[in-house]
Amino acid sequence: MSGEGGLASGLAFWMGSLVALLVAGLLYDRITSYDLHDQIERGNVAVAIAFVGVLVGFGTFIRLAGEGSPCP
């Protein structure tokens, strides 16, 4: 870890990020017109790739938000 703060603040941001990813996954499941879990169990690769893309994109957004703004 680098930057300001210690282990406690790092763990707090890590837990917050995990909760945000969980919420994003649940929200994605609710807004789709199909049962996400059922489709993945049936082997629907397109649905799985779309879901992973949403999680990776949202994770990248969380990572960039956690870095803060760069100093000029």
Side-chain angles (χ1 to χ4, degrees):
M1 286 178 41
S2 64
E4 296 179 18
L7 183 61
S9 65
L11 287 175
F13 280 107
W14 178 69
M15 287 298 294
S17 299
L18 289 180
V19 169
L21 275 176
L22 179 65
V23 168
L26 293 173
L27 182 65
Y28 182 78
D29 188 28
R30 289 185 68 93
I31 64 172
T32 54
S33 61
Y34 48 84
D35 184 14
L36 182 66
H37 185 69
D38 183 49
Q39 290 296 318
I40 291 174
E41 279 188 350
R42 289 183 184 190
N44 191 338
V45 177
V47 168
I49 290 173
F51 183 58
V52 168
V54 167
L55 291 181
V56 168
F58 200 78
T60 302
F61 180 72
I62 292 171
R63 180 186 60 86
L64 292 173
E67 288 179 0
S69 61
C71 296

